């Protein structure tokens, strides 16, 4: 039986040798940080576990799933990097996995299959997220929570409601991970604009499904004149449909796991740097927000020792982007309300 915890990110450089790790990332220079991955035996969870093991900012790595985690933990634990790895399996060990965590990453849930929308995942994944967040509220209420489980537009509001009910909600510490949209937008833009992808930045705002994903190519750097209006529309659509592109290419064998794990590790790394008070850490994320009339919205966020230090505005939008923004609001609003309704009724 397929693990129900299945939705499963990364240092920007290869793992340094253990000698360099000891020299550069001693306990003095990098604080002790525990990261928990919930859904660590899944398609996203396994590569995400690997990438977090390679991150020199992680001192303890807790891997949790309902099945299969001891093997993943044993495998990853043999890598000669700083993080001490422990595997936890089944609900009775969830508390131990979470205790003392600074960052909790949730790739748990079922993946998309061909023909499924992110919304089709809702009922299964909503229940999983609700139970995991109930445990987070009990065992590590101050952790930064990185929500990967889809549909993010609904699972983040569910988490918020669970934390509110438990009396532990801190809007600065709950993040919907939309980094994969940014990763895709950067990659696709670099290919069309013929610029080095490592130098590209593209903000992506809105939500994390279909038309709610709004890449702001007018703000992309380095700027280019190589893209026509039709070219920008095509890039926007490809970014919005990136997940479907992978689902179809895998022909029923899965969804975006490797690229999602990479994106998840990138965002977790940013959270850890923020906690360690490294200045000017800015990433896009789906958070509680007042920059539109919607209660949650993805935009650039400055990260710091408390999580969200500042939710940054949208900047100047092109006419096409303004239209896209207005078009996405009703769908995003409905997804947010669906999550809140689920949490209150269950």
């Amino acid at each position: 039986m397929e693990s129900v915890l299945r939705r499963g990110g990364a240092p920007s450089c290869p793992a340094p040798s253990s000698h360099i790790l000891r020299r550069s990332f001693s306990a003095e220079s990098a604080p002790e940080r525990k990261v928990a991955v919930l859904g660590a035996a899944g398609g996203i969870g396994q590569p995400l576990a690997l990438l977090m093991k390679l991150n020199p900012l992680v001192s303890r790595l807790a891997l949790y799933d309902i099945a299969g985690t001891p093997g993943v933990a044993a495998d990853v634990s043999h890598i000669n990097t700083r993080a001490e790895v422990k595997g936890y399996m089944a609900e009775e060990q969830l508390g131990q996995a979470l205790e003392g965590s600074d960052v909790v990453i949730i790739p748990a849930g079922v993946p998309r299959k061909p023909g499924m929308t992110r919304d089709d995942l809702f009922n299964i994944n909503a229940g999983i997220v609700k139970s995991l967040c109930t445990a987070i509220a009990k065992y590590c209420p101050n952790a930064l929570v990185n929500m990967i489980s889809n549909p993010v537009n609904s699972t983040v509001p569910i988490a918020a409601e669970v934390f509110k009910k438990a009396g532990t909600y801190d809007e600065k510490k709950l993040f919907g991970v939309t980094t994969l949209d940014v990763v895709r937008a950067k990659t696709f833009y670099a290919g069309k604009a013929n610029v080095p992808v490592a130098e590209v930045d593209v903000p992506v705002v809105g939500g994390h499904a279909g038309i709610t994903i709004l890449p702001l190519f007018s703000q992309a750097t380095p700027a280019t004149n190589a893209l026509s209006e039709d070219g920008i529309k095509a890039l926007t659509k490809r970014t919005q449909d990136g997940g479907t592109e992978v689902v179809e290419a895998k022909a029923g064998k899965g969804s975006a796991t490797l690229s999602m794990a990479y994106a998840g590790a990138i965002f977790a790394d940013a959270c850890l740097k923020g906690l360690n008070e490294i200045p000017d850490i800015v990433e896009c994320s789906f958070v509680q927000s007042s920059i539109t009339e919607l209660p949650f919205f993805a935009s650039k966020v400055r990260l710091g020792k408390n999580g969200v230090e500042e939710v940054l505005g949208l900047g100047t939008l092109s006419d096409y982007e303004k239209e896209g923004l207005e078009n996405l609001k009703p769908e995003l609003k409905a997804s947010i309300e669906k999550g809140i309704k689920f949490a209150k009724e269950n």
Side-chain angles (χ1 to χ4, degrees):
M1 176 182 147
E2 168 180 65
S3 166
V4 182
L5 288 179
R6 279 283 191 272
R7 252 301 274 158
S12 52
C13 53
S17 71
S18 56
H19 167 71
I20 295 173
L21 268 178
R22 279 198 301 272
R23 192 181 64 198
S24 305
F25 298 101
S26 65
E28 289 78 27
S29 61
E32 298 284 310
R33 295 291 180 199
K34 179 179 175 180
V35 173
V37 179
L38 309 185
I44 296 169
Q46 290 197 44
L48 180 57
L50 168 65
L51 291 167
M52 296 320 295
K53 178 70 170 103
L54 298 184
N55 190 318
L57 301 180
V58 180
S59 59
R60 290 188 293 154
L61 182 61
L63 304 179
Y64 172 82
D65 211 319
I66 55 171
T69 346
V72 177
D75 194 354
V76 171
S77 73
H78 292 179
I79 296 167
N80 61 323
T81 57
R82 178 189 182 202
E84 292 179 15
V85 181
K86 287 189 179 176
Y88 301 90
M89 190 168 72
E91 204 167 330
E92 57 268 23
Q93 294 189 346
L94 179 54
Q96 289 171 268
L98 290 171
E99 275 174 344
S101 295
D102 296 285
V103 177
V104 179
I105 313 172
I106 310 182
V110 296
R112 281 173 79 194
K113 296 184 172 67
M116 282 176 83
T117 66
R118 283 189 174 89
D119 224 37
D120 293 333
L121 304 176
F122 179 81
N123 283 328
I124 302 168
N125 289 355
I128 294 168
V129 164
K130 185 171 180 289
S131 63
L132 293 176
C133 288
T134 301
I136 290 167
K138 183 176 179 182
Y139 294 104
C140 56
N142 296 315
L144 303 189
V145 177
N146 292 4
M147 185 68 68
I148 290 172
S149 304
N150 270 322
V152 165
N153 294 352
S154 299
T155 55
V156 169
I158 288 169
E161 291 300 316
V162 171
F163 296 149
K164 283 176 189 174
K165 188 177 179 188
T168 64
Y169 182 53
D170 183 346
E171 65 191 68
K172 295 180 176 180
K173 296 187 173 180
L174 176 60
F175 302 90
V177 180
T178 60
T179 314
L180 182 52
D181 302 325
V182 177
V183 165
R184 285 173 172 148
K186 289 178 178 182
T187 303
F188 303 159
Y189 176 86
K192 289 293 183 187
N194 200 24
V195 292
V197 69
E199 294 171 16
V200 169
D201 188 39
V202 183
V204 182
V205 304
H208 183 58
I211 67 158
T212 72
I213 299 166
L214 183 62
L216 303 182
F217 289 114
S218 71
Q219 297 177 22
T221 54
T224 179
N225 295 320
L227 290 171
S228 64
E229 193 173 332
D230 285 345
I232 286 170
K233 287 179 180 176
L235 277 184
T236 300
K237 179 140 180 56
R238 190 177 178 203
T239 304
Q240 292 170 339
D241 294 343
T244 304
E245 189 177 309
V246 175
V247 168
E248 289 175 353
K250 289 190 174 182
K253 300 286 197 298
S255 57
T257 52
L258 302 173
S259 54
M260 183 62 246
Y262 171 77
I266 289 284
F267 189 75
D269 180 64
C271 286
L272 290 164
K273 286 173 177 169
L275 287 174
N276 293 350
E277 299 188 62
I278 295 169
D280 299 319
I281 303 298
V282 175
E283 291 287 340
C284 292
S285 182
F286 185 67
V287 296
Q288 184 172 315
S289 172
S290 58
I291 63 171
T292 71
E293 63 273 25
L294 300 174
F296 295 90
F297 199 81
S299 66
K300 283 186 176 180
V301 171
R302 192 182 312 284
L303 297 161
K305 64 177 182 178
N306 300 308
V308 176
E309 294 292 329
E310 186 184 6
V311 179
L312 302 174
L314 298 178
T316 305
L317 306 184
S318 69
D319 289 343
Y320 175 67
E321 290 160 356
K322 286 176 186 170
E323 184 185 352
L325 177 62
E326 292 312 309
N327 289 342
L328 71 82
K329 284 179 182 177
E331 184 170 318
L332 184 51
K333 183 172 186 276
S335 297
I336 292 167
E337 287 172 353
K338 186 174 182 179
I340 293 170
K341 183 169 183 270
F342 175 89
K344 288 185 172 172
E345 289 180 357
N346 293 273

